[in-house]
């Protein structure tokens, strides 16, 4: 977004996308063939960014049928007993990591995620721990055990069940009696989580329990109150594990509500020990659907592979029978994950409707939802360049405010789009972000650093951070990604402006895209570990004529696919703004046209209907409604929505004084 240019009704011929100067990352991972991905549990779960795992026993790894299923079907493993206290530290200070290492190393060699289970539990606890009655001694022993175990597995364990089953059954909603609670008091859980965070800052820290699946149960409410308190006080907790040992009736009716309510606290939820008596097909499908319907339900683990491997073997509760054959519940589970029975039988490619974008788009637009709200010190003409995330039950919108004197940033939040127009506007020039030219914001949550990032342009590419997105006063002062404009931009910018910075990360690297109003899209990169520092290797990622690749680039990961989507704002032959689109299989790869012409645009007034009346002919700088809110910028593959800026078609004059407003596009040709 360039606040300095003055645009009248310009004409521009839209040229085909030229061959682009891009770099392909050596050794970049490629997706498995579509038929394979759609016919196994773990690979199908991975299409939506989730895992489907199982509990593993080291003693069964010599069984070829067992390991065959394990390797084929699951992309996550949890050691069944090998990381519990009585295995790892049977005598004080003497650690036996052999059985756990056997599982951990095998999982790493096969690319399977590893969940650590469990650090602090009142069962399978050596007698020497259970007999401690001195608080200082027990605290030291607990902290040392957590630290030693997590240090040993640092970098190998994705998530730890830090504390397991600490709450009592029944109607009390209180913690159960255990050596830890009785000697250390109820604060032992907080102590365990704080120690765990210090030991391995990168691992997700989970509280895990059974019989917390029914929202109205006192035990569920007790755990919920604890997690809510932890989040309010900054106690490090990242996820809640619901074991989900169900009877033949399957999950309670309100299971999805329970998952959603925990997730709304700002934690992931995981189904950690799933088994269902007699394995009814509907019960398994309902359990999986509940997880799939909650964005922060990040994975499912079944507690064993075959019925004969289960701690409930007499109830035949798993997806494979005693001979390793798939049971009917297997297919209902795969289907609920989005899998394809046909692909499983024939090896043919599975339908891609749930994970592929169409080649053309149609949209319906709302009216103008968000307008400027001037006050005594902000005489605002337009509100522009929105960035939006849905988090903790609210839409959080950041935007530029425009007036003749220049640009700044504003923040507002609301629970429903019907409330967008009445939301309070918080002007960020009153915060540490400060006054002066700030424009074109982009917001996301960095899961590694547990910080919100607000990226914006100041003449450089700048950012601020905030631990709480809902606190407009929590943003830090601006910092720059670059010491100065990269040479390649300076050499190609011509009479344009360096604008519209955009950050997106994959599992290894973070990339910063920017535009120059002169037909070039630039890309720099740094590692995830170095971010926000170290952006180098700036290249021209794509180029076209000046008005065909103008500004306001967005780049997203498409959920459930090995696909990225690039949007760039263009100026049409009628002088109106619209968006073109491309796709690539990696962020460092070359871009292939999708809906990339004026006759087949991604979004232009020609493929948008306006049921409430045509209030704009420009579809300009905006952002997708994402499937999540983290640094991967993941969007759904269908039922897309795009928050954009538009204006009165008859408005003209000084660019900074144009009456931009924000509206919402909703895709009308979705196939799913």
């Amino acid at each position: 977004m360039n606040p300095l240019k003055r645009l009248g009704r310009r004409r521009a011929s839209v040229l085909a996308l030229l061959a682009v100067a891009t770099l392909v990352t050596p050794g970049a991972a490629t997706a498995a063939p579509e038929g394979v991905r759609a016919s196994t549990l773990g690979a199908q779960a991975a299409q939506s960014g989730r895992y489907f795992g199982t509990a593993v026993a080291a003693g069964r790894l010599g069984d070829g049928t067992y390991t065959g299923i394990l390797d084929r079907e699951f992309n996550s493993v949890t050691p069944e007993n090998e990381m519990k206290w009585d295995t790892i530290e049977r005598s004080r200070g003497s650690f036996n990591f052999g059985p756990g290492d056997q599982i951990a190393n095998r999982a790493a060699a096969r690319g399977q995620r590893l969940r650590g289970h469990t650090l602090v539990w009142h069962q399978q606890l050596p007698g020497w721990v259970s007999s401690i009655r001195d608080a200082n001694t027990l605290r030291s022993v607990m902290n040392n055990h957590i630290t030693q175990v997590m240090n040993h597995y640092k970098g190998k364990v994705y998530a730890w069940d830090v504390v397991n089953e600490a709450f009592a059954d029944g109607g009390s909603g209180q913690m159960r009696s255990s050596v830890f609670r009785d000697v250390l008091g109820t604060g032992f859980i907080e102590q365990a989580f704080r120690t765990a965070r210090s030991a391995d800052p990168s691992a997700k820290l989970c509280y895990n329990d059974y019989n917390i699946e029914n929202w109205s149960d006192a035990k569920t409410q007790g755990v919920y109150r604890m997690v809510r308190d932890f989040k309010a006080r900054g106690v490090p907790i990242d996820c809640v594990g619901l074991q989900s040992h169900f009877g033949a009736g399957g999950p309670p009716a309100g299971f999805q509500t329970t998952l959603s309510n925990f997730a709304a606290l700002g934690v992931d939820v995981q189904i950690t020990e799933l088994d269902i008596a007699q394995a009814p097909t509907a019960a398994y499908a309902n359990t999986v659907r509940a997880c799939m319907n909650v964005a922060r339900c990040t994975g499912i683990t079944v507690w064993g592979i075959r019925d004969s491997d289960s701690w409930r073997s007499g109830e035949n509760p798993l997806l494979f029978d005693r001979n390793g054959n798939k049971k009917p519940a297997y297919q209902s589970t795969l289907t609920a994950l989005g899998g394809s029975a046909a692909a499983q039988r024939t090896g043919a490619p599975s339908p891609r409707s749930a994970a592929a974008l169409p080649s053309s788009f149609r949209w319906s637009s709302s009216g103008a939802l968000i307008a400027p709200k001037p006050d005594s010190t902000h005489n605002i003409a337009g509100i522009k360049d929105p960035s939006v995330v849905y988090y903790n039950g609210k839409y959080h919108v950041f935007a530029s405010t425009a007036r003749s004197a220049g640009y700044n940033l504003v923040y507002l939040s609301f629970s429903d789009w019907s409330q967008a127009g009445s939301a309070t506007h918080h002007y960020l020039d009153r915060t540490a972000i400060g006054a002066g030219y700030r424009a074109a914001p982009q917001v996301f949550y960095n899961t590694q650093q547990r910080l919100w990032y607000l990226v914006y342009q100041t003449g450089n590419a700048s950012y601020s951070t905030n631990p709480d997105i809902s606190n407009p006063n929590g943003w830090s002062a601006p910092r720059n990604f670059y010491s100065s404009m990269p040479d390649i931009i300076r050499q190609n910018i011509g009479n344009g402006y360096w604008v519209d910075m955009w950050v997106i990360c994959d599992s290894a690297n973070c990339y910063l895209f920017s535009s120059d109003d002169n037909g070039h899209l630039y890309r720099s990169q740094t590692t995830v570990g170095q971010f926000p520092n170290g952006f180098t290797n700036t290249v021209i990622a794509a180029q076209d004529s000046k008005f065909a690749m103008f500004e306001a680039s967005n780049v997203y990961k498409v959920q459930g696919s090995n696909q990225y989507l690039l949007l760039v704002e263009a100026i049409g032959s009628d002088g109106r703004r619209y968006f073109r689109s491309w796709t690539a299989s990696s962020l460092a790869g070359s871009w292939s046209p999708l809906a990339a012409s004026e006759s087949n645009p991604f979004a232009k007034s020609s493929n948008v209907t306006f049921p409430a009346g045509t209030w704009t002919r420009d579809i300009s700088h905006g952002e997708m409604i994402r499937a999540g809110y983290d640094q991967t910028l993941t969007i759904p593959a269908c039922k897309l929505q795009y928050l954009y800026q538009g204006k009165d078609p008859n408005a003209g004059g000084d660019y900074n004084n144009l009456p931009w407003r924000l509206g919402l596009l909703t895709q009308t040709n979705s196939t799913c």
Side-chain angles (χ1 to χ4, degrees):
M1 189 290 276
N2 172 23
L4 303 176
K5 60 186 177 290
R6 307 290 188 267
L7 288 178
R9 292 175 57 84
R10 303 186 182 180
R11 300 184 63 83
S13 60
V14 181
L15 305 178
L17 182 67
L18 303 178
V20 295
T22 56
L23 300 180
V24 178
T25 304
T30 57
E34 195 73 22
V36 176
R37 290 168 60 227
S39 65
T40 61
L41 298 168
Q44 185 59 45
Q47 289 193 9
S48 63
R50 294 173 169 87
Y51 65 82
F52 199 99
T54 185
V56 173
R60 293 189 174 93
L61 292 177
D63 181 331
T65 302
Y66 182 91
T67 56
I69 299 170
L70 170 62
D71 295 345
R72 183 187 74 231
E73 295 290 343
F74 300 102
N75 63 344
S76 171
V77 299
T78 303
E80 190 168 352
N81 293 297
E82 290 77 3
M83 290 185 181
K84 291 172 180 172
W85 201 317
D86 65 351
T87 297
I88 284 186
E89 193 184 5
R90 186 176 294 274
S91 59
R92 185 172 180 177
S94 179
F95 291 87
N96 173 26
F97 294 111
D101 286 352
Q102 185 180 358
I103 293 173
N105 294 337
R106 192 180 192 283
R110 288 159 176 79
Q112 293 166 316
R113 189 174 287 185
L114 181 67
R115 293 191 80 261
H117 177 79
T118 175
L119 295 167
V120 178
W121 186 30
H122 65 281
Q123 292 189 8
Q124 291 184 244
L125 195 64
W128 69 269
V129 181
S130 301
S131 64
I132 297 173
R133 290 296 176 264
D134 176 71
N136 290 332
T137 302
L138 183 59
R139 185 177 298 106
S140 176
V141 162
M142 182 183 76
N143 290 343
N144 183 64
H145 180 81
I146 293 169
T147 300
Q148 294 298 325
V149 175
M150 292 187 73
N151 280 340
H152 180 81
Y153 289 108
K154 186 179 292 187
K156 297 181 179 180
V157 170
Y158 154 75
W160 275 103
D161 291 332
V162 178
V163 177
N164 194 51
E165 300 177 4
F167 277 75
D169 293 320
S172 72
Q174 303 300 310
M175 293 181 195
R176 70 167 71 243
S177 174
S178 71
V179 63
F180 300 106
R181 194 213 67 173
D182 297 347
V183 175
L184 298 177
T186 58
F188 83 90
I189 300 180
E190 177 176 342
Q191 177 70 58
F193 274 86
R194 292 193 183 279
T195 302
R197 176 66 86 228
S198 297
D200 186 353
S202 297
K204 290 200 175 274
L205 308 182
C206 307
Y207 176 78
N208 190 55
D209 216 326
Y210 67 94
N211 284 354
I212 59 169
E213 295 82 15
N214 189 358
W215 176 244
S216 62
D217 284 355
K219 186 175 182 180
T220 307
Q221 291 298 308
V223 174
Y224 179 85
R225 286 191 298 270
M226 179 191 73
V227 176
R228 182 178 61 192
D229 172 63
F230 280 12
K231 295 299 290 185
R233 294 191 294 109
V235 179
I237 184 169
D238 304 308
C239 46
V240 172
L242 298 90
Q243 292 183 15
S244 305
H245 299 295
F246 295 135
F255 183 45
Q256 184 175 318
T257 297
T258 304
L259 295 174
S260 296
N261 287 344
F262 274 113
L265 293 176
V267 294
D268 292 342
V269 287
Q270 301 170 352
I271 298 173
T272 54
E273 302 181 20
L274 178 63
D275 46 29
I276 307 177
Q278 307 309 323
T281 57
Y284 262 102
N286 290 339
T287 304
V288 172
R289 285 194 200 100
C291 178
M292 297 295 286
N293 288 338
V294 176
R296 293 204 66 160
C297 185
T298 56
I300 299 169
T301 297
V302 287
W303 205 245
I305 295 177
R306 304 163 299 191
D307 286 334
S308 54
D309 306 317
S310 172
W311 69 298
R312 304 169 66 187
S313 59
E315 298 176 287
N316 299 320
L318 296 174
L319 299 175
F320 296 86
D321 67 20
R322 294 164 190 270
N323 296 316
N325 299 311
K326 298 171 183 176
K327 296 160 65 174
Y330 172 93
Q331 188 56 53
S332 70
T333 298
L334 183 64
T335 300
L337 288 167
S340 167
Q344 174 192 330
R345 291 193 303 269
T346 68
S350 65
R352 297 192 61 191
S353 60
L357 297 168
S359 58
S360 63
F361 295 85
R362 294 193 299 274
W363 309 88
S364 176
S365 177
S366 69
L369 297 176
I370 301 174
K373 291 188 176 180
D375 63 15
S376 59
T377 57
H378 297 85
N379 183 23
I380 298 166
I383 186 165
K384 308 183 58 186
D385 317 321
S387 181
V388 56
V389 291
Y390 186 76
Y391 172 73
N392 210 12
K394 289 186 175 182
Y395 292 98
H396 300 264
V397 175
F398 296 80
S400 304
T401 58
R403 54 179 174 164
S404 58
Y407 284 68
N408 217 280
L409 303 177
V410 68
Y411 162 74
L412 57 151
S413 64
F414 45 87
S415 299
D416 186 84
W417 290 106
S418 63
Q419 303 167 352
S422 59
T424 300
H425 287 205
H426 301 273
Y427 297 105
L428 299 186
D429 58 355
R430 294 169 173 165
T431 73
I433 288 176
Y437 170 45
R438 286 100 170 87
Q442 180 211 5
V443 68
F444 61 87
Y445 184 68
N446 186 301
T447 56
Q448 303 294 320
Q449 301 174 16
R450 295 177 176 85
L451 282 175
W452 291 93
Y453 273 77
L454 189 64
V455 177
Y456 48 94
Q457 63 190 53
T458 58
N460 199 323
S462 299
Y463 68 92
S464 296
T465 60
N466 190 344
D468 180 4
I469 192 175
S470 65
N471 176 16
N473 295 315
W475 293 102
S476 65
R479 296 181 181 177
N480 293 336
F481 287 110
Y482 305 93
S483 59
S484 61
M485 181 186 292
D487 288 342
I488 193 170
I489 301 178
R490 183 179 297 107
Q491 294 160 6
N492 288 277
I493 196 170
N495 293 323
Y497 300 92
W498 187 27
V499 295
D500 298 335
M501 290 72 187
W502 182 270
V503 171
I504 180 173
C505 306
D506 58 24
S507 60
N509 296 301
C510 292
Y511 299 84
L512 196 159
F513 291 85
S514 59
S515 301
D516 67 0
D517 287 348
N518 195 33
H520 302 98
L521 178 71
Y522 302 98
R523 185 191 69 237
S524 304
Q525 72 183 71
T526 188
T527 64
V528 168
Q530 285 182 297
F531 180 83
N533 303 308
F535 275 106
T536 56
N537 193 27
T538 304
V539 298
I540 298 174
Q543 64 183 34
D544 205 333
S545 65
K546 177 174 182 175
F547 298 131
M549 186 165 278
F550 197 61
E551 60 183 26
S553 66
N554 298 186
V555 187
Y556 303 97
K557 176 72 168 69
V558 181
Q559 190 175 49
S561 72
N562 186 40
Q563 188 178 52
Y564 291 89
L565 173 69
L566 165 67
L567 307 180
V568 180
E569 184 174 336
I571 302 176
S573 57
D574 59 358
R576 301 295 187 183
R577 303 298 187 98
Y578 75 101
F579 277 94
R580 304 171 68 198
S581 61
W582 297 262
T583 60
S585 60
S586 80
L587 288 168
S590 54
W591 297 95
S592 301
L594 181 63
S597 68
E598 192 168 3
S599 60
N600 180 31
F602 180 78
K604 192 178 190 295
S605 59
S606 58
N607 67 339
V608 176
T609 61
F610 295 87
T614 304
W615 64 280
T616 180
R617 289 296 184 190
D618 292 275
I619 308 297
S620 185
H621 193 140
E623 188 175 302
M624 286 287 186
I625 308 300
R626 301 178 220 158
Y629 47 82
D630 67 14
Q631 70 276 0
T632 64
L633 307 188
T634 301
I635 60 169
C638 57
K639 299 179 182 176
L640 301 177
Q641 289 189 298
Y642 192 76
L643 184 64
Y644 73 102
Q645 67 181 34
K647 62 177 176 63
D648 182 345
N650 298 315
D654 182 87
Y655 185 80
N656 290 4
N657 283 327
L658 290 176
W660 294 101
R661 306 290 185 265
L662 305 184
L664 184 67
L665 296 180
T666 299
Q667 185 186 5
T668 58
N669 68 326
S670 177
T671 58
C672 53

